[in-house]
Amino acid sequence: MCQKGTGLLVIVLLVCNVCVLTKAQEEKVEFSPTYLKVIDKLESLTPGHSIDIKMGIQKERYKIGEPFEMRFQVSQDCYCTLMHIDSTGRIDFLIPNRWRPEPKIEGKRVYSTWHDFKLNISVVRPLTVDVFNFFCSPRKFDLFEADWQKEEVSQIAQNDETRLTQLLNRLDQLQTIEWSGNSIVIMTGTVRGVGSRKIGAIPSTESGDFFPPLDSEQIEQTPTK
């Protein structure tokens, strides 16, 4: 679910239907074969190590109403994409977005999803599991197509066979170029029942504890939440 306010994007971390329901209820939640192929593909990817990626959040678990901010840093100039997968199966491409359509970032600089990319993210429902996948490469690449006149961020519903198939093909193409990646999984409340269910997190190389201070200029240029 996306809400727009004061020119900023408010991204809601949705309730984890699969995780909090009973076993009988879980069986009612169905994902398409193409969606499951995308999740399998993400978890089987083999990121390179040519670009070091540090990314992190303030804490592993969040409460309702708490703001969510991610900070990240790469070792060299590159192009990046930040993908979010919620437990209902929706896929959001948070970076690039309407306010920051250029995916190129500078090496060694600490970036913030809020201060640099204007992503005002809040937790509004309990018991969620959310995956954030970060992809980067020295050369420009595209995991999605977006019309920034119509979209604030690009989204793929878990039953959108056309866009899921396109994403699956683009992930295959990604493996043919030099790229690096990392991921973070966050939880809200006490989530039970995840078990061995795949959630689409690409292999992680960092702990997620990276959350350094920002430059004063970044903070001064950020609108009030």
Side-chain angles (χ1 to χ4, degrees):
M1 177 188 302
C2 287
Q3 302 172 349
K4 186 172 63 175
T6 63
L8 301 173
L9 178 67
V10 180
I11 299 172
V12 178
L13 304 187
L14 296 176
V15 64
C16 177
N17 294 326
V18 175
C19 293
V20 300
L21 299 180
T22 66
K23 183 175 181 180
Q25 290 172 313
E26 285 181 6
E27 293 176 353
K28 297 180 181 179
V29 180
E30 296 182 359
F31 297 104
S32 73
T34 307
Y35 176 84
L36 295 176
K37 287 181 181 178
V38 169
I39 296 301
D40 284 340
K41 173 62 68 175
L42 287 167
E43 296 202 0
S44 67
L45 291 174
T46 54
H49 303 287
S50 60
I51 301 175
D52 292 329
I53 304 165
K54 296 180 180 179
M55 57 190 295
I57 52 181
Q58 289 176 300
K59 53 187 178 180
E60 184 179 348
R61 293 182 182 272
Y62 286 78
K63 299 178 181 178
I64 297 176
E66 287 188 310
F68 170 84
E69 178 189 353
M70 179 185 296
R71 295 183 183 179
F72 58 90
Q73 182 185 61
V74 293
S75 58
Q76 65 183 66
D77 293 2
C78 62
Y79 296 89
C80 73
T81 293
L82 179 63
M83 170 195 289
H84 166 238
I85 305 174
D86 74 16
S87 297
T88 68
R90 193 193 66 212
I91 300 173
D92 304 309
F93 291 96
L94 305 182
I95 300 174
N97 58 47
R98 177 187 289 180
W99 298 280
R100 185 72 180 263
E102 173 54 54
K104 191 170 186 179
I105 57 177
E106 300 174 14
K108 307 297 185 181
R109 176 180 174 176
V110 176
Y111 285 90
S112 160
T113 51
W114 165 238
H115 295 282
D116 293 291
F117 293 92
K118 309 301 183 286
L119 294 170
N120 185 5
I121 306 175
S122 298
V123 177
V124 298
R125 293 185 181 181
L127 305 175
T128 68
V129 175
D130 290 82
V131 175
F132 292 84
N133 289 323
F134 186 89
F135 306 82
C136 63
S137 173
R139 55 180 288 188
K140 195 169 184 177
F141 65 98
D142 295 304
L143 293 182
F144 66 95
E145 294 181 2
D147 184 346
W148 300 131
Q149 298 299 317
K150 300 179 180 179
E151 298 179 292
E152 295 168 334
V153 298
S154 182
Q155 297 181 329
I156 304 179
Q158 64 92 5
N159 58 355
D160 188 336
E161 291 295 302
T162 299
R163 300 190 79 175
L164 286 170
T165 300
Q166 292 173 346
L167 175 57
L168 193 61
N169 292 335
R170 289 170 186 260
L171 289 172
D172 284 332
Q173 295 172 8
L174 182 68
Q175 291 289 73
T176 66
I177 67 171
E178 178 187 350
W179 74 283
S180 301
N182 205 347
S183 65
I184 289 178
V185 178
I186 72 165
M187 299 182 182
T188 306
T190 303
V191 181
R192 301 179 300 275
V194 178
S196 60
R197 182 176 62 85
K198 294 185 177 181
I199 55 178
I202 65 176
S204 175
T205 58
E206 292 286 338
S207 65
D209 296 331
F210 180 79
F211 204 81
L214 301 173
D215 293 339
S216 58
E217 182 179 348
Q218 288 173 277
I219 298 176
E220 290 173 357
Q221 293 178 352
T222 305
T224 303
K225 288 189 179 183

